[in-house]
Amino acid sequence: MTGRRGRYTDQDQEHYERPRRRTRPRTKERPSYDDAADGVVVTVDRGRYSLLVDGVPVYAVKARPLGRKGVVVGDRVRVVGDVSGDEGALARVVEVNERSTVLRRTADDDDPVERVIVSNADQLVVVTALADPEPRQGLVDRALVAAYDSGMTPLLCLTKADLAGPEEFMSTYRALHVPWVVTQRDGDLGELRRHLAGRTSVLLGHSGVGKSTLVNALVPDADRETGGVNVVTGRGRHTSTSAVMLGLPARDGEEDVDGQGGGWIVDTPGIRSFGLAHVKPETLIGAFPDLAAETGSCPRGCTHGEDTPECGLDDAVGRGDVDAERVSSFRRLLAARSVPAY
């Protein structure tokens, strides 16, 4: 028919059928990745991952079969492709190994979405300044809760001791038996190094407390940007914008960890909120075995909080079986799940 466009008329069956796609049939067989190399994620930047594979820096992207599975700093992964570390080389992360620990937070206490910060760390170093800016107990309490919830060992690192002493601040935390170290600018970091040696530690704290200064002192070639404190708000400026995992220089007599004698530290960006919507009371008290042992007589649904009726902790305090100050400190951490950290 003249004047009609197209190959078929509206009377032809083909006019109503879509062209068939010529694709290969799907297979249930998946690659085994037997030749994949093992690596550890040291930084994440907009979908690109920096890894160490046998000590060689390698850049990679996430393979499509991983889907929405997140890859975070500290993950032990398997990679295929070009792992030479040459300029322009790019590998693919094809598997994420099971995580031993996960440090996570929510944006706020009503947010059901958990955000994993770091994986496979065994120590959480809560860095807080004794002055300039003034210590904020809210974040410290919340960070301790996150450490206990994830199974990590907490360590308090009190900076700027040249401006204020630690006695008043530590009076609040001694009952929790949390280890602590004191540092100051250009001071000796020997005690802190001993706590970090042979471990994978995450440094967490408000902006301006001196995390990046500590990192630069511990790892001289880290070159982390440092910043001051706003004189009006008393808060620090964000300098670190992404988490980075750094190897500590090996020293004589220190244990070797994954080929990195001095251990690892993870410097995280300064934070102003730390949501704990994912933490349950039963998980938190499990980190205090001496207190958990006294809750057998608690009624069902007991939160072990300050105003919970018939809580076994109150009975234990009355009998003198546990220290009242320790119970009070535990309940302060419990309450920190709903108290703003800023």
Side-chain angles (χ1 to χ4, degrees), residues 145 148 172 175-176 280-288 290-292 295 303-306 311 313 323-337:
V145 170
Y148 292 129
T172 308
L176 293 174
K280 308 301 180 187
E282 57 269 22
T283 304
L284 182 56
I285 199 167
F288 299 85
D290 57 323
L291 301 184
T295 61
T303 64
H304 318 302
E306 190 73 44
C311 180
L313 293 179
D323 180 43
E325 186 178 355
R326 182 164 169 80
V327 172
S328 178
S329 296
F330 162 75
R331 284 175 164 167
R332 190 187 69 250
L333 294 186
L334 194 64
R337 294 159 52 250

Side-chain angles (χ1 to χ4, degrees), residues 171-193:
S171 65
T172 308
Y173 294 97
R174 282 197 174 90
L176 293 174
H177 304 159
V178 181
W180 54 287
V181 295
V182 177
T183 68
Q184 63 185 55
R185 182 177 289 275
D186 299 325
D188 180 25
L189 296 179
E191 186 178 2
L192 177 59
R193 291 183 191 275

Side-chain angles (χ1 to χ4, degrees), residues 39-40 43 56 79 82 97 103 108 176 185 198 205 211 222 234 248 251 259 310 320 342:
V40 58
T43 62
V56 177
V79 293
D82 192 338
N97 295 337
L103 177 64
D108 54 52
L176 293 174
R185 182 177 289 275
K211 283 192 298 85
L248 289 168
R251 294 183 171 235
E310 302 181 21
Y342 43 84

Side-chain angles (χ1 to χ4, degrees), residues 41-45 48 50 72-74 103 116-119 202-204 211 224 239-246 265-270:
V41 180
V42 294
T43 62
V44 178
D45 183 17
R48 292 291 181 100
S50 298
V72 301
V73 171
L103 177 64
V116 177
I117 304 173
V118 178
S119 70
V202 182
L203 275 61
L204 183 76
K211 283 192 298 85
R224 297 294 275 176
T239 51
S240 302
T241 58
S242 61
V244 60
M245 189 173 181
L246 301 165
I265 57 173
V266 181
D267 183 23
T268 61

Side-chain angles (χ1 to χ4, degrees), residues 111-175:
D111 189 350
V113 180
E114 299 176 11
R115 291 164 174 80
V116 177
I117 304 173
V118 178
S119 70
N120 299 319
D122 52 14
Q123 182 169 241
L124 180 61
V125 182
V126 186
V127 184
T128 185
L130 293 168
D132 189 34
E134 293 297 317
R136 294 186 174 91
Q137 182 178 307
L139 177 64
V140 176
D141 288 351
R142 283 171 170 257
L144 291 177
V145 170
Y148 292 129
D149 178 68
S150 65
M152 299 169 63
T153 301
L155 172 68
L156 293 178
C157 180
L158 311 180
T159 63
K160 305 186 183 182
D162 49 321
L163 303 180
E167 292 77 14
E168 180 179 354
F169 179 83
M170 281 308 303
S171 65
T172 308
Y173 294 97
R174 282 197 174 90

